[in-house]
Amino acid sequence: MSGRVRLASVTLLLATGCGAEAEPVALPPAAPVTVDVAAASSGGACRLLDFGVIEQHAGVRFDVAAASATGDSHTCVVRAGQETLPELTLTVTRTSIDAATFTADVVPEKATKVSGLGQKAYRRTASSKGALGPVAEVGWLAAEGRLATLRYATPRDADKAEAEKLTTALVALAQGLDTRAI
């Protein structure tokens, strides 16, 4: 008798639709995921840079990096999205020059001497030229035969005094870079 009751229960359940599969529910497409990629992922001299650290020093959030190398020179350029300016460029070149040669041949006229950065270092602000606004630059003769330059190009309408302040920020940024990794 219990077998007939079970059979009747199963038949009743199937007849009422409890055994049918549910219709699939359409879900809205997932929103695109934005991934914050590190500058270092571009390789080359970009391995020395971090977008967050640059932002702490320069006050601008960059999110695009590109690296290149020619001979003993390694370069990284960082920008903010599709904008061409501002732009920060790091160049590291293997060299055999000494401190005296750096001072005589590399340091630009009207540059200010910087202490506490490499063997010898300078900072300067170049005036607006063409499509560029003022350019803040820091150059130094780093450890183990490396010549390095950080160059921050501003938009045409930027103030030269602000670019001059950036040279101080670039010195602080440069002090945190280990150019021996290139």
Side-chain angles (χ1 to χ4, degrees):
M1 176 101 164
S2 73
R4 284 191 219 166
V5 171
R6 283 189 208 147
L7 181 59
S9 298
V10 170
T11 305
L12 182 61
L13 288 173
L14 288 174
T16 60
C18 291
E21 290 187 31
E23 290 285 325
V25 176
L27 297 175
V33 177
T34 302
V35 178
D36 191 17
V37 178
S41 67
S42 294
C46 292
R47 292 185 310 231
L48 303 178
L49 297 175
D50 177 90
F51 292 133
V53 174
I54 295 169
E55 183 177 14
Q56 287 174 352
H57 291 288
V60 174
R61 179 69 179 177
F62 292 103
D63 56 6
V64 176
S68 70
T70 303
D72 287 336
S73 291
H74 301 268
T75 303
C76 179
V77 176
V78 295
R79 292 182 177 165
Q82 300 295 320
E83 301 297 321
T84 56
L85 294 172
E87 172 182 275
L88 179 71
T89 305
L90 168 66
T91 303
V92 179
T93 303
R94 290 188 176 124
T95 186
S96 59
I97 67 171
D98 59 12
T101 305
F102 176 82
T103 301
D105 295 341
V106 177
V107 176
E109 287 185 29
K110 299 181 182 178
T112 303
K113 180 181 173 182
V114 173
S115 50
L117 177 60
Q119 298 173 42
K120 292 280 185 175
Y122 71 88
R123 68 184 181 128
R124 74 175 183 137
T125 305
S127 297
S128 299
K129 185 175 182 181
L132 291 178
V135 175
E137 180 179 284
V138 172
W140 69 102
L141 183 58
E144 298 184 18
R146 303 290 195 274
L147 176 63
T149 307
L150 268 172
R151 189 172 185 268
Y152 189 105
T154 64
R156 179 81 178 131
D157 60 348
D159 182 46
K160 188 169 182 177
E162 289 300 314
E164 182 61 34
K165 287 180 189 176
L166 273 171
T167 63
T168 303
L170 292 181
V171 168
L173 177 60
Q175 289 170 330
L177 301 180
D178 183 4
T179 58
R180 294 174 297 177
I182 298 295

